[in-house]
Short mmCIF file of all heavy atoms in Angstrom, two decimals:
data_model
loop_
_atom_site.label_atom_id
_atom_site.label_comp_id
_atom_site.label_asym_id
_atom_site.label_seq_id
_atom_site.Cartn_x
_atom_site.Cartn_y
_atom_site.Cartn_z
N LYS F 587 5.32 -12.65 -4.92
CA LYS F 587 6.07 -13.83 -4.48
C LYS F 587 5.90 -14.99 -5.46
O LYS F 587 6.88 -15.67 -5.81
CB LYS F 587 5.60 -14.25 -3.08
CG LYS F 587 6.41 -15.38 -2.46
CD LYS F 587 5.88 -15.71 -1.08
CE LYS F 587 6.70 -16.81 -0.42
NZ LYS F 587 8.05 -16.37 -0.09
N GLU F 588 4.66 -15.24 -5.89
CA GLU F 588 4.40 -16.38 -6.75
C GLU F 588 4.89 -16.17 -8.18
O GLU F 588 5.28 -17.13 -8.85
CB GLU F 588 2.89 -16.69 -6.76
CG GLU F 588 2.32 -17.10 -5.41
CD GLU F 588 2.91 -18.40 -4.91
OE1 GLU F 588 3.30 -19.24 -5.75
OE2 GLU F 588 2.97 -18.59 -3.68
N CYS F 589 4.89 -14.92 -8.65
CA CYS F 589 5.26 -14.63 -10.04
C CYS F 589 6.64 -14.00 -10.16
O CYS F 589 6.94 -13.35 -11.16
CB CYS F 589 4.22 -13.71 -10.67
SG CYS F 589 2.54 -14.36 -10.67
N ILE F 590 7.47 -14.17 -9.13
CA ILE F 590 8.77 -13.50 -9.14
C ILE F 590 9.66 -14.01 -10.27
O ILE F 590 10.45 -13.25 -10.85
CB ILE F 590 9.47 -13.68 -7.77
CG1 ILE F 590 10.68 -12.76 -7.67
CG2 ILE F 590 9.85 -15.13 -7.53
CD1 ILE F 590 10.38 -11.30 -7.78
N THR F 591 9.55 -15.29 -10.63
CA THR F 591 10.37 -15.82 -11.73
C THR F 591 10.01 -15.16 -13.06
O THR F 591 10.87 -15.03 -13.94
CB THR F 591 10.20 -17.34 -11.83
OG1 THR F 591 8.80 -17.65 -11.99
CG2 THR F 591 10.74 -18.02 -10.59
N CYS F 592 8.75 -14.75 -13.21
CA CYS F 592 8.33 -14.10 -14.45
C CYS F 592 8.62 -12.60 -14.44
O CYS F 592 8.60 -11.96 -15.50
CB CYS F 592 6.83 -14.32 -14.68
SG CYS F 592 6.31 -16.04 -14.64
N LEU F 593 8.88 -12.04 -13.27
CA LEU F 593 9.09 -10.60 -13.14
C LEU F 593 10.55 -10.23 -12.92
O LEU F 593 10.87 -9.06 -12.72
CB LEU F 593 8.26 -10.05 -11.97
CG LEU F 593 6.73 -10.15 -12.11
CD1 LEU F 593 6.06 -9.77 -10.80
CD2 LEU F 593 6.23 -9.26 -13.23
N ILE F 594 11.44 -11.22 -12.95
CA ILE F 594 12.85 -10.94 -12.67
C ILE F 594 13.45 -9.99 -13.70
O ILE F 594 14.18 -9.05 -13.36
CB ILE F 594 13.65 -12.26 -12.60
CG1 ILE F 594 13.44 -12.93 -11.24
CG2 ILE F 594 15.13 -12.01 -12.81
CD1 ILE F 594 14.25 -14.17 -11.02
N THR F 595 13.12 -10.20 -14.98
CA THR F 595 13.72 -9.36 -16.04
C THR F 595 13.39 -7.88 -15.87
O THR F 595 14.29 -7.04 -15.86
CB THR F 595 13.27 -9.86 -17.42
OG1 THR F 595 13.70 -11.21 -17.60
CG2 THR F 595 13.86 -8.99 -18.52
N PRO F 596 12.10 -7.48 -15.72
CA PRO F 596 11.83 -6.05 -15.54
C PRO F 596 12.33 -5.51 -14.21
O PRO F 596 12.84 -4.38 -14.16
CB PRO F 596 10.30 -5.97 -15.64
CG PRO F 596 9.81 -7.33 -15.30
CD PRO F 596 10.85 -8.27 -15.81
N LEU F 597 12.22 -6.29 -13.14
CA LEU F 597 12.68 -5.81 -11.84
C LEU F 597 14.20 -5.65 -11.82
O LEU F 597 14.73 -4.72 -11.21
CB LEU F 597 12.23 -6.77 -10.74
CG LEU F 597 10.72 -6.82 -10.46
CD1 LEU F 597 10.42 -7.83 -9.37
CD2 LEU F 597 10.19 -5.45 -10.07
N LEU F 598 14.91 -6.56 -12.46
CA LEU F 598 16.36 -6.47 -12.52
C LEU F 598 16.78 -5.18 -13.22
O LEU F 598 17.71 -4.49 -12.79
CB LEU F 598 16.93 -7.69 -13.23
CG LEU F 598 18.46 -7.84 -13.26
CD1 LEU F 598 19.00 -8.05 -11.86
CD2 LEU F 598 18.86 -8.98 -14.17
N HIS F 599 16.10 -4.86 -14.31
CA HIS F 599 16.43 -3.63 -15.04
C HIS F 599 16.09 -2.40 -14.22
O HIS F 599 16.88 -1.44 -14.15
CB HIS F 599 15.66 -3.61 -16.36
CG HIS F 599 15.80 -2.33 -17.12
ND1 HIS F 599 16.99 -1.93 -17.72
CD2 HIS F 599 14.91 -1.32 -17.35
CE1 HIS F 599 16.82 -0.76 -18.30
NE2 HIS F 599 15.57 -0.37 -18.09
N ILE F 600 14.92 -2.40 -13.56
CA ILE F 600 14.50 -1.22 -12.79
C ILE F 600 15.40 -1.01 -11.57
O ILE F 600 15.82 0.12 -11.28
CB ILE F 600 13.03 -1.38 -12.36
CG1 ILE F 600 12.11 -1.34 -13.59
CG2 ILE F 600 12.63 -0.29 -11.38
CD1 ILE F 600 10.66 -1.62 -13.29
N PHE F 601 15.73 -2.08 -10.85
CA PHE F 601 16.56 -1.95 -9.66
C PHE F 601 17.95 -1.41 -10.01
O PHE F 601 18.47 -0.51 -9.34
CB PHE F 601 16.69 -3.30 -8.95
CG PHE F 601 15.40 -3.76 -8.30
CD1 PHE F 601 15.25 -5.08 -7.87
CD2 PHE F 601 14.35 -2.89 -8.12
CE1 PHE F 601 14.08 -5.50 -7.28
CE2 PHE F 601 13.16 -3.30 -7.52
CZ PHE F 601 13.03 -4.61 -7.11
N ASN F 602 18.56 -1.95 -11.04
CA ASN F 602 19.88 -1.47 -11.44
C ASN F 602 19.82 -0.06 -12.03
O ASN F 602 20.76 0.72 -11.90
CB ASN F 602 20.50 -2.43 -12.45
CG ASN F 602 20.98 -3.71 -11.82
OD1 ASN F 602 21.57 -3.69 -10.74
ND2 ASN F 602 20.73 -4.83 -12.46
N LEU F 603 18.69 0.27 -12.66
CA LEU F 603 18.52 1.63 -13.18
C LEU F 603 18.40 2.64 -12.04
O LEU F 603 18.89 3.77 -12.13
CB LEU F 603 17.27 1.68 -14.07
CG LEU F 603 17.10 2.92 -14.95
CD1 LEU F 603 18.27 3.04 -15.93
CD2 LEU F 603 15.78 2.86 -15.71
N ILE F 604 17.76 2.24 -10.94
CA ILE F 604 17.68 3.11 -9.76
C ILE F 604 19.08 3.38 -9.20
O ILE F 604 19.43 4.52 -8.86
CB ILE F 604 16.78 2.46 -8.69
CG1 ILE F 604 15.33 2.39 -9.17
CG2 ILE F 604 16.86 3.24 -7.37
CD1 ILE F 604 14.42 1.63 -8.23
N LEU F 605 19.88 2.32 -9.09
CA LEU F 605 21.23 2.48 -8.55
C LEU F 605 22.11 3.29 -9.50
O LEU F 605 22.98 4.05 -9.05
CB LEU F 605 21.85 1.11 -8.31
CG LEU F 605 21.16 0.24 -7.27
CD1 LEU F 605 21.78 -1.15 -7.24
CD2 LEU F 605 21.21 0.86 -5.89
N LYS F 606 21.90 3.15 -10.80
CA LYS F 606 22.73 3.86 -11.78
C LYS F 606 22.38 5.33 -11.85
O LYS F 606 23.26 6.19 -11.90
CB LYS F 606 22.57 3.20 -13.15
CG LYS F 606 23.40 3.85 -14.25
CD LYS F 606 23.19 3.14 -15.58
CE LYS F 606 24.00 3.79 -16.69
NZ LYS F 606 23.80 3.10 -18.00
N THR F 607 21.07 5.65 -11.85
CA THR F 607 20.63 7.03 -11.99
C THR F 607 20.40 7.73 -10.66
O THR F 607 20.14 8.93 -10.64
CB THR F 607 19.34 7.09 -12.82
OG1 THR F 607 18.30 6.36 -12.13
CG2 THR F 607 19.56 6.48 -14.19
N THR F 608 20.47 6.96 -9.54
CA THR F 608 20.17 7.49 -8.19
C THR F 608 18.82 8.20 -8.18
O THR F 608 18.64 9.22 -7.51
CB THR F 608 21.27 8.45 -7.71
OG1 THR F 608 21.30 9.61 -8.57
CG2 THR F 608 22.62 7.78 -7.69
N ASN F 609 17.87 7.64 -8.89
CA ASN F 609 16.52 8.21 -8.96
C ASN F 609 15.52 7.12 -8.59
O ASN F 609 15.45 6.08 -9.24
CB ASN F 609 16.23 8.74 -10.36
CG ASN F 609 14.88 9.43 -10.44
OD1 ASN F 609 14.33 9.86 -9.43
ND2 ASN F 609 14.34 9.52 -11.64
N PHE F 610 14.76 7.36 -7.51
CA PHE F 610 13.79 6.38 -7.04
C PHE F 610 12.44 6.68 -7.68
O PHE F 610 12.03 7.84 -7.77
CB PHE F 610 13.67 6.42 -5.52
CG PHE F 610 13.06 5.20 -4.92
CD1 PHE F 610 13.77 4.01 -4.86
CD2 PHE F 610 11.76 5.22 -4.42
CE1 PHE F 610 13.20 2.87 -4.30
CE2 PHE F 610 11.19 4.10 -3.87
CZ PHE F 610 11.91 2.93 -3.81
N PRO F 611 11.70 5.65 -8.13
CA PRO F 611 10.41 5.88 -8.81
C PRO F 611 9.43 6.65 -7.93
O PRO F 611 9.30 6.37 -6.73
CB PRO F 611 9.91 4.46 -9.12
CG PRO F 611 11.12 3.60 -9.08
CD PRO F 611 12.05 4.23 -8.09
N THR F 612 8.75 7.59 -8.54
CA THR F 612 7.78 8.40 -7.80
C THR F 612 6.65 7.55 -7.26
O THR F 612 6.19 7.77 -6.13
CB THR F 612 7.22 9.50 -8.72
OG1 THR F 612 8.29 10.29 -9.23
CG2 THR F 612 6.26 10.41 -7.96
N MET F 613 6.21 6.56 -8.03
CA MET F 613 5.11 5.71 -7.57
C MET F 613 5.48 4.94 -6.32
O MET F 613 4.67 4.78 -5.41
CB MET F 613 4.72 4.73 -8.68
CG MET F 613 3.60 3.77 -8.28
SD MET F 613 3.33 2.49 -9.50
CE MET F 613 2.92 3.48 -10.91
N TRP F 614 6.71 4.47 -6.25
CA TRP F 614 7.13 3.67 -5.10
C TRP F 614 7.39 4.52 -3.87
O TRP F 614 7.60 3.98 -2.78
CB TRP F 614 8.38 2.87 -5.46
CG TRP F 614 8.12 1.80 -6.47
CD1 TRP F 614 6.92 1.47 -7.02
CD2 TRP F 614 9.08 0.91 -7.05
NE1 TRP F 614 7.07 0.44 -7.92
CE2 TRP F 614 8.39 0.07 -7.96
CE3 TRP F 614 10.46 0.75 -6.89
CZ2 TRP F 614 9.02 -0.91 -8.70
CZ3 TRP F 614 11.08 -0.24 -7.63
CH2 TRP F 614 10.39 -1.06 -8.52
N LYS F 615 7.40 5.83 -4.01
CA LYS F 615 7.53 6.71 -2.85
C LYS F 615 6.21 6.89 -2.13
O LYS F 615 6.18 7.35 -0.99
CB LYS F 615 8.05 8.08 -3.29
CG LYS F 615 9.47 8.08 -3.83
CD LYS F 615 9.88 9.47 -4.25
CE LYS F 615 11.28 9.48 -4.84
NZ LYS F 615 11.68 10.84 -5.30
N MET F 616 5.11 6.55 -2.79
CA MET F 616 3.80 6.70 -2.19
C MET F 616 3.53 5.54 -1.22
O MET F 616 4.06 4.44 -1.38
CB MET F 616 2.72 6.74 -3.27
CG MET F 616 2.88 7.86 -4.27
SD MET F 616 1.59 7.86 -5.54
CE MET F 616 0.16 8.24 -4.53
N SER F 617 2.71 5.81 -0.22
CA SER F 617 2.40 4.77 0.77
C SER F 617 1.05 5.07 1.40
O SER F 617 0.55 6.19 1.34
CB SER F 617 3.49 4.72 1.86
OG SER F 617 3.57 5.96 2.54
N LYS F 618 0.48 4.03 1.95
CA LYS F 618 -0.75 4.16 2.73
C LYS F 618 -0.39 4.36 4.20
O LYS F 618 0.41 3.59 4.74
CB LYS F 618 -1.63 2.92 2.57
CG LYS F 618 -2.14 2.68 1.16
CD LYS F 618 -2.98 1.42 1.11
CE LYS F 618 -3.49 1.14 -0.28
NZ LYS F 618 -4.29 -0.11 -0.35
N ILE F 619 -0.97 5.36 4.83
CA ILE F 619 -0.66 5.67 6.22
C ILE F 619 -1.80 5.18 7.10
O ILE F 619 -2.96 5.54 6.90
CB ILE F 619 -0.44 7.18 6.43
CG1 ILE F 619 0.64 7.70 5.48
CG2 ILE F 619 -0.09 7.47 7.87
CD1 ILE F 619 1.99 7.08 5.71
N CYS F 620 -1.47 4.34 8.07
CA CYS F 620 -2.44 3.81 9.02
C CYS F 620 -2.09 4.32 10.42
O CYS F 620 -0.96 4.11 10.88
CB CYS F 620 -2.46 2.29 9.01
SG CYS F 620 -2.90 1.57 7.42
N PRO F 621 -3.00 5.00 11.11
CA PRO F 621 -2.71 5.45 12.47
C PRO F 621 -2.82 4.30 13.47
O PRO F 621 -3.80 3.55 13.47
CB PRO F 621 -3.79 6.51 12.72
CG PRO F 621 -4.91 6.14 11.81
CD PRO F 621 -4.31 5.46 10.62
N ILE F 622 -1.81 4.15 14.30
CA ILE F 622 -1.76 3.10 15.32
C ILE F 622 -1.74 3.76 16.70
O ILE F 622 -0.90 4.63 16.97
CB ILE F 622 -0.53 2.20 15.14
CG1 ILE F 622 -0.52 1.59 13.74
CG2 ILE F 622 -0.52 1.10 16.20
CD1 ILE F 622 -1.70 0.71 13.44
N PHE F 623 -2.67 3.35 17.54
CA PHE F 623 -2.76 3.92 18.90
C PHE F 623 -1.60 3.45 19.76
O PHE F 623 -1.24 2.28 19.76
CB PHE F 623 -4.09 3.50 19.53
CG PHE F 623 -4.26 3.95 20.94
CD1 PHE F 623 -4.43 5.29 21.25
CD2 PHE F 623 -4.24 3.03 21.97
CE1 PHE F 623 -4.58 5.71 22.56
CE2 PHE F 623 -4.39 3.43 23.28
CZ PHE F 623 -4.56 4.78 23.58
N LYS F 624 -0.99 4.40 20.50
CA LYS F 624 0.13 4.07 21.37
C LYS F 624 -0.32 3.98 22.83
O LYS F 624 -0.33 2.92 23.43
CB LYS F 624 1.23 5.13 21.22
CG LYS F 624 1.90 5.14 19.85
CD LYS F 624 3.02 6.15 19.79
CE LYS F 624 4.17 5.77 20.70
NZ LYS F 624 5.31 6.71 20.59
N SER F 625 -0.68 5.10 23.43
CA SER F 625 -1.10 5.11 24.83
C SER F 625 -1.83 6.41 25.11
O SER F 625 -1.77 7.36 24.32
CB SER F 625 0.11 4.97 25.77
OG SER F 625 1.01 6.06 25.58
N GLY F 626 -2.52 6.46 26.25
CA GLY F 626 -3.23 7.66 26.63
C GLY F 626 -4.67 7.64 26.17
O GLY F 626 -5.30 6.58 26.04
N CYS F 627 -5.20 8.82 25.88
CA CYS F 627 -6.60 8.96 25.47
C CYS F 627 -6.73 8.63 23.99
O CYS F 627 -6.01 9.16 23.15
CB CYS F 627 -7.08 10.39 25.75
SG CYS F 627 -8.80 10.67 25.26
N LYS F 628 -7.69 7.76 23.65
CA LYS F 628 -7.86 7.34 22.27
C LYS F 628 -8.43 8.44 21.39
O LYS F 628 -8.30 8.39 20.17
CB LYS F 628 -8.78 6.12 22.19
CG LYS F 628 -8.07 4.81 22.46
CD LYS F 628 -8.93 3.64 22.02
CE LYS F 628 -8.14 2.33 22.11
NZ LYS F 628 -8.93 1.18 21.61
N SER F 629 -9.06 9.42 21.97
CA SER F 629 -9.65 10.50 21.17
C SER F 629 -8.66 11.61 20.88
O SER F 629 -9.02 12.58 20.21
CB SER F 629 -10.86 11.08 21.90
OG SER F 629 -10.48 11.63 23.16
N ASP F 630 -7.42 11.48 21.34
CA ASP F 630 -6.38 12.49 21.09
C ASP F 630 -5.50 12.02 19.95
O ASP F 630 -4.86 10.97 20.03
CB ASP F 630 -5.55 12.73 22.35
CG ASP F 630 -4.64 13.94 22.22
OD1 ASP F 630 -4.60 14.55 21.13
OD2 ASP F 630 -3.95 14.27 23.21
N ILE F 631 -5.47 12.78 18.88
CA ILE F 631 -4.70 12.40 17.69
C ILE F 631 -3.21 12.32 18.00
O ILE F 631 -2.48 11.53 17.39
CB ILE F 631 -4.97 13.40 16.54
CG1 ILE F 631 -6.41 13.25 16.07
CG2 ILE F 631 -4.01 13.22 15.39
CD1 ILE F 631 -6.81 14.18 14.96
N ALA F 632 -2.74 13.12 18.94
CA ALA F 632 -1.31 13.13 19.29
C ALA F 632 -0.84 11.81 19.88
O ALA F 632 0.37 11.57 19.96
CB ALA F 632 -1.02 14.27 20.26
N ASN F 633 -1.77 10.94 20.28
CA ASN F 633 -1.40 9.66 20.87
C ASN F 633 -1.32 8.53 19.84
O ASN F 633 -1.31 7.36 20.21
CB ASN F 633 -2.40 9.28 21.97
CG ASN F 633 -2.35 10.23 23.15
OD1 ASN F 633 -1.29 10.78 23.45
ND2 ASN F 633 -3.47 10.42 23.81
N TYR F 634 -1.28 8.88 18.57
CA TYR F 634 -1.20 7.89 17.50
C TYR F 634 0.12 8.06 16.75
O TYR F 634 0.65 9.16 16.66
CB TYR F 634 -2.37 8.03 16.53
CG TYR F 634 -3.70 7.60 17.09
CD1 TYR F 634 -4.40 8.41 17.97
CD2 TYR F 634 -4.27 6.38 16.74
CE1 TYR F 634 -5.64 8.02 18.48
CE2 TYR F 634 -5.49 5.98 17.24
CZ TYR F 634 -6.17 6.81 18.11
OH TYR F 634 -7.39 6.42 18.62
N ARG F 635 0.61 6.96 16.23
CA ARG F 635 1.82 7.00 15.39
C ARG F 635 1.48 6.42 14.02
O ARG F 635 0.60 5.56 13.89
CB ARG F 635 2.95 6.20 16.03
CG ARG F 635 2.67 4.71 16.20
CD ARG F 635 3.81 4.03 16.92
NE ARG F 635 3.55 2.61 17.17
CZ ARG F 635 3.91 1.64 16.36
NH1 ARG F 635 4.52 1.92 15.23
NH2 ARG F 635 3.65 0.38 16.66
N PRO F 636 2.16 6.87 12.98
CA PRO F 636 1.82 6.40 11.63
C PRO F 636 2.58 5.13 11.26
O PRO F 636 3.74 4.95 11.61
CB PRO F 636 2.25 7.57 10.74
CG PRO F 636 3.38 8.20 11.48
CD PRO F 636 3.11 8.00 12.95
N ILE F 637 1.92 4.26 10.54
CA ILE F 637 2.52 3.08 9.94
C ILE F 637 2.35 3.20 8.42
O ILE F 637 1.23 3.37 7.94
CB ILE F 637 1.88 1.78 10.44
CG1 ILE F 637 2.19 1.57 11.92
CG2 ILE F 637 2.37 0.59 9.64
CD1 ILE F 637 3.65 1.36 12.22
N SER F 638 3.44 3.11 7.69
CA SER F 638 3.40 3.27 6.23
C SER F 638 3.36 1.89 5.57
O SER F 638 4.19 1.04 5.86
CB SER F 638 4.62 4.05 5.74
OG SER F 638 4.64 5.34 6.31
N ILE F 639 2.41 1.70 4.68
CA ILE F 639 2.32 0.48 3.88
C ILE F 639 2.78 0.85 2.47
O ILE F 639 2.08 1.54 1.73
CB ILE F 639 0.89 -0.07 3.85
CG1 ILE F 639 0.41 -0.37 5.28
CG2 ILE F 639 0.81 -1.33 3.00
CD1 ILE F 639 -1.02 -0.86 5.36
N ILE F 640 3.97 0.41 2.10
CA ILE F 640 4.56 0.78 0.82
C ILE F 640 4.27 -0.30 -0.21
O ILE F 640 3.75 -1.38 0.10
CB ILE F 640 6.08 1.00 0.97
CG1 ILE F 640 6.77 -0.31 1.39
CG2 ILE F 640 6.37 2.09 1.97
CD1 ILE F 640 8.28 -0.19 1.46
N CYS F 641 4.61 0.01 -1.46
CA CYS F 641 4.43 -0.95 -2.54
C CYS F 641 5.35 -2.15 -2.32
O CYS F 641 6.47 -2.00 -1.81
CB CYS F 641 4.73 -0.30 -3.89
SG CYS F 641 3.70 1.14 -4.26
N ASN F 642 4.90 -3.32 -2.71
CA ASN F 642 5.68 -4.53 -2.47
C ASN F 642 6.96 -4.57 -3.30
O ASN F 642 7.95 -5.17 -2.88
CB ASN F 642 4.83 -5.77 -2.77
CG ASN F 642 3.80 -6.02 -1.70
OD1 ASN F 642 4.12 -6.36 -0.57
ND2 ASN F 642 2.53 -5.86 -2.04
N PHE F 643 6.96 -3.94 -4.47
CA PHE F 643 8.19 -3.88 -5.26
C PHE F 643 9.23 -3.00 -4.56
O PHE F 643 10.43 -3.31 -4.57
CB PHE F 643 7.90 -3.34 -6.66
CG PHE F 643 7.12 -4.29 -7.51
CD1 PHE F 643 5.96 -3.88 -8.16
CD2 PHE F 643 7.51 -5.60 -7.67
CE1 PHE F 643 5.24 -4.75 -8.95
CE2 PHE F 643 6.79 -6.49 -8.45
CZ PHE F 643 5.65 -6.06 -9.09
N ALA F 644 8.79 -1.90 -3.95
CA ALA F 644 9.70 -1.06 -3.18
C ALA F 644 10.22 -1.80 -1.96
O ALA F 644 11.39 -1.67 -1.58
CB ALA F 644 9.00 0.24 -2.77
N LYS F 645 9.35 -2.60 -1.35
CA LYS F 645 9.77 -3.41 -0.20
C LYS F 645 10.81 -4.44 -0.62
O LYS F 645 11.76 -4.73 0.12
CB LYS F 645 8.55 -4.09 0.40
CG LYS F 645 8.79 -4.75 1.75
CD LYS F 645 7.52 -5.45 2.23
CE LYS F 645 6.38 -4.48 2.39
NZ LYS F 645 5.16 -5.13 2.91
N LEU F 646 10.63 -4.98 -1.81
CA LEU F 646 11.59 -5.96 -2.33
C LEU F 646 12.95 -5.30 -2.55
O LEU F 646 13.99 -5.87 -2.21
CB LEU F 646 11.06 -6.54 -3.64
CG LEU F 646 11.76 -7.77 -4.21
CD1 LEU F 646 11.53 -8.98 -3.31
CD2 LEU F 646 11.24 -8.06 -5.61
N PHE F 647 12.96 -4.10 -3.10
CA PHE F 647 14.21 -3.38 -3.33
C PHE F 647 14.89 -3.01 -2.01
O PHE F 647 16.11 -3.11 -1.88
CB PHE F 647 13.92 -2.12 -4.16
CG PHE F 647 15.15 -1.32 -4.49
CD1 PHE F 647 16.11 -1.83 -5.34
CD2 PHE F 647 15.33 -0.06 -3.97
CE1 PHE F 647 17.25 -1.09 -5.66
CE2 PHE F 647 16.45 0.69 -4.28
CZ PHE F 647 17.41 0.17 -5.13
N GLU F 648 14.11 -2.61 -1.03
CA GLU F 648 14.68 -2.28 0.28
C GLU F 648 15.31 -3.50 0.94
O GLU F 648 16.34 -3.40 1.61
CB GLU F 648 13.59 -1.69 1.19
CG GLU F 648 13.17 -0.29 0.80
CD GLU F 648 12.19 0.30 1.79
OE1 GLU F 648 11.87 -0.40 2.78
OE2 GLU F 648 11.75 1.44 1.59
N THR F 649 14.69 -4.67 0.75
CA THR F 649 15.25 -5.90 1.32
C THR F 649 16.60 -6.22 0.71
O THR F 649 17.54 -6.63 1.42
CB THR F 649 14.28 -7.06 1.09
OG1 THR F 649 13.01 -6.75 1.67
CG2 THR F 649 14.81 -8.34 1.72
N ILE F 650 16.73 -6.01 -0.60
CA ILE F 650 18.01 -6.27 -1.27
C ILE F 650 19.08 -5.31 -0.75
O ILE F 650 20.22 -5.72 -0.46
CB ILE F 650 17.84 -6.13 -2.79
CG1 ILE F 650 16.90 -7.22 -3.31
CG2 ILE F 650 19.19 -6.21 -3.50
CD1 ILE F 650 16.54 -7.07 -4.77
N LEU F 651 18.74 -4.04 -0.62
CA LEU F 651 19.70 -3.07 -0.10
C LEU F 651 20.07 -3.39 1.35
O LEU F 651 21.24 -3.28 1.75
CB LEU F 651 19.12 -1.66 -0.19
CG LEU F 651 18.98 -1.05 -1.58
CD1 LEU F 651 18.46 0.38 -1.45
CD2 LEU F 651 20.31 -1.05 -2.31
#
Side-chain angles (χ1 to χ4, degrees):
K587 186 180 182 68
E588 297 296 332
C589 302
I590 191 61
T591 56
C592 306
L593 296 172
I594 281 185
T595 300
L597 291 179
L598 186 66
H599 173 70
I600 293 174
F601 290 166
N602 286 318
L603 194 61
I604 293 174
L605 296 174
K606 181 180 179 180
T607 61
T608 64
N609 184 22
F610 198 73
T612 303
M613 178 188 300
W614 292 357
K615 294 179 182 178
M616 301 179 66
S617 61
K618 296 179 181 179
I619 305 298
C620 300
I622 303 298
F623 176 69
K624 293 183 66 177
S625 61
C627 180
K628 278 195 172 183
S629 61
D630 190 357
I631 292 179
N633 294 330
Y634 289 77
R635 62 184 177 93
I637 293 295
S638 299
I639 301 177
I640 63 176
C641 301
N642 286 293
F643 291 128
K645 191 182 300 182
L646 192 68
F647 181 67
E648 288 185 1
T649 303
I650 295 173
L651 289 183

